[in-house]
Each structure stands twice: as structure tokens, then as C-alpha cells.
Amino acid sequence: MDLKFSTAHSSKLVYFEQIGSTNHYLMEKISQNPADWPDMSVVCASEQTNGSGRHSRVWSPPSGASLSCSLLVRNPKGAAHWYGILLAMAAVISLRSQGVEAGLKWPNDVLVEGKKLAGVLGQASSDSLVVGIGINLQPIQIDNSVSLAEIGLTQDFDFQLSNILGEFSSLRRDFDLGGVAAVLERLREFSHTLGLEVRVTTDDRVIEGLATDIDNQGRLVINGGEEIISAGDILHLRRLGEV
Ligand code: BTN
């Protein structure tokens, strides 16, 4: 596959037609031979047979239906989870530049028309982070999902990947120089969760309430601070005032 634009946005790029998981591959490579994998190394694939999703779920859409990509962040300047958020924000910026009103479902799902177009998974390894994104190119048999094909955008692998890598690099520069304050307002603006009644499932509880803010640690604030959620799965229930 011709990936010249994506190559220009990475320090090293490896493409597979098929792989188990781009995240696992990169994690394994950096532990075996760290010197071969500089910051902004990228591993991408057209098919994952053993891809990982959040909360130990599987992310393995069929061949050609998805764009899977993992990138390496060496010496992160902030808490690990921020880089996953930055990658999701990069996807939103890229989609908006193509005329699509994309947003984020907390913490880092990319939504279009209330449906999931892409998901992000970050994994930490000593002084490095691997952050991966999976984007639906073609329709997949998962409830409440949507694909680039269904929203009328190009499924060109290099175009979509290079846009996201470029936006990620720029957001990351802002974050590494200016910290959370440099990205928080955009994150709040991108959020499709804020202002909604949500149901949050954490390891030990289910909480329902109004999502009122995202704080400076990236946590979801419920009912003005009654609850503050740092990790969990959420369900969007309804907009304030709707029955
Ligand atoms: C989610 O559950 O929403 C997160 C999905 C993340 C999938 C991506 S695809 C590229 C990278 N490699 C993996 O095995 N997972 C991530």
C-alpha cells in the first residue's frame, strides 16, 4: 500500500495487511529492541485478528473494514490517559476538516450522529506509551456503530491516517508545551457527553446523573461534582430537558 503521506508524519512506519494487534506488536517490539523504535513510530494494518478494545473487549473487524493504527509516544509529558484523549481529538479534528460534525463520547470514543466511528486504546510500558486507534472504514455488524463509507467520506487509508497523525502531532506539541490547559477547552467543546444524562458503569457501581464537566485530570464530573469518574463505561441516556 502506498502510505507516503502517513510516512511523512511518522518517524518509522510499518504496515501489515493482517496482524494480531498493532498495539501488541508495538509493545512487544519496544520491549525487545527499544532502539529500533523511535518516538512517533507507527504500526498500522488493514485487518487485526486479535485486536484489543477497552475493558478487555475484542476489536477485530474483518479485512478492509477498518483502519488500525498504533503509535509510540516516548517520554510522555503528562498522565498516560491524556495521549489517548489527544489521539481521539485528532480524529475529531480530521473528521471536522472533512465536513463531518464528529465529537467524543467520554473518555475517548469518536462519535458521528451518536454512533461510534472509532475507538482508542492506550497501553503503558516503562517510559513509553502505545496509543492505538481503530476506525471503521466499512459498515460492521456492531450495534450503534457507523463507518466512513456510511457518512460519505473517503476510505483512503493513507489520507485518513496521515490526517490523524498530523493532527495528533500538533495537539501533542500543544500538550507537551502547555499542559492540560492547552487542550482542555477544545476537549470540552468536542464532547458529545457534556449536557447529557448518562449512566456510568464503573468496576463496582452504576451511577446515573447529568454530565456537567470534564475536569483538568480528564475525569467526568457528574451533577456538578457529586460524583467524579476517572474510569468506566458510559451510556448516553438523554439530553437535559428531554423525557
Ligand atoms: C475501544 O474499545 O473502543 C478501543 C478500540 C481500540 C482499537 C485499536 S485498533 C489499533 C490498536 N490495536 C489494538 O489491538 N487495539 C487498538
Side-chain angles (χ1 to χ4, degrees):
M1 178 169 318
D2 179 7
L3 294 171
K4 62 173 178 296
F5 296 117
S6 303
T7 303
H9 285 292
S10 44
S11 54
K12 164 174 179 160
L13 184 140
V14 181
Y15 168 78
F16 293 92
E17 286 274 321
Q18 187 192 69
I19 194 171
S21 153
T22 55
N23 265 28
H24 297 177
Y25 179 88
L26 197 44
M27 291 286 283
E28 194 175 286
K29 290 294 173 192
I30 58 173
S31 73
Q32 289 167 346
N33 216 341
D36 278 356
W37 299 88
D39 184 62
M40 271 313 279
S41 291
V42 173
V43 176
C44 56
S46 289
E47 182 182 7
Q48 292 193 127
T49 53
N50 190 27
S52 304
R54 294 176 59 234
H55 305 296
S56 309
R57 287 186 285 251
V58 173
W59 185 282
S60 297
S63 174
S66 172
L67 182 166
S68 299
C69 157
S70 300
L71 56 88
L72 180 61
V73 174
R74 292 250 181 236
N75 303 309
K77 298 279 190 296
H81 66 276
W82 277 106
Y83 291 84
I85 292 173
L86 296 182
L87 186 54
M89 289 175 71
V92 169
I93 295 171
S94 165
L95 290 159
R96 288 188 175 189
S97 74
Q98 296 169 69
V100 169
E101 196 34 58
L104 293 176
K105 178 175 157 201
W106 185 88
N108 54 26
D109 281 352
V110 178
L111 299 189
V112 174
E113 297 162 2
K115 297 181 186 149
K116 182 162 170 170
L117 178 78
V120 168
L121 180 71
Q123 295 177 279
S125 146
S126 59
D127 67 342
S128 301
L129 293 175
V130 169
V131 269
I133 185 164
I135 303 163
N136 301 327
L137 300 177
Q138 300 291 336
I140 52 164
Q141 301 306 315
I142 293 182
D143 282 354
N144 222 23
S145 65
V146 71
S147 63
L148 293 179
E150 290 162 294
I151 57 174
L153 293 191
T154 173
Q155 298 110 63
D156 186 280
F157 198 102
D158 192 29
F159 176 85
Q160 295 297 353
L161 179 58
S162 61
N163 269 353
I164 291 172
L165 294 177
E167 297 301 347
F168 177 81
S169 295
S170 147
L171 279 168
R172 181 183 169 192
R173 211 165 25 245
D174 294 348
F175 180 79
D176 287 353
L177 290 173
V180 171
V183 298
L184 188 55
E185 275 320 304
R186 263 178 297 174
L187 174 60
R188 288 174 172 145
E189 193 256 306
F190 289 173
S191 178
H192 280 188
T193 298
L194 295 181
L196 293 188
E197 292 281 343
V198 296
R199 179 177 301 139
V200 188
T201 309
T202 67
D203 285 342
D204 51 1
R205 277 183 323 142
V206 177
I207 301 154
E208 281 192 17
L210 180 66
T212 47
D213 199 9
I214 296 172
D215 73 6
N216 61 9
Q217 294 178 46
R219 300 176 303 183
L220 188 64
V221 178
I222 305 291
N223 294 339
E226 236 169 63
E227 301 275 359
I228 296 184
I229 314 292
S230 53
D233 244 358
I234 67 163
L235 187 67
H236 288 170
L237 296 176
R238 62 191 83 81
R239 197 160 288 285
L240 186 62
E242 283 174 11
V243 284

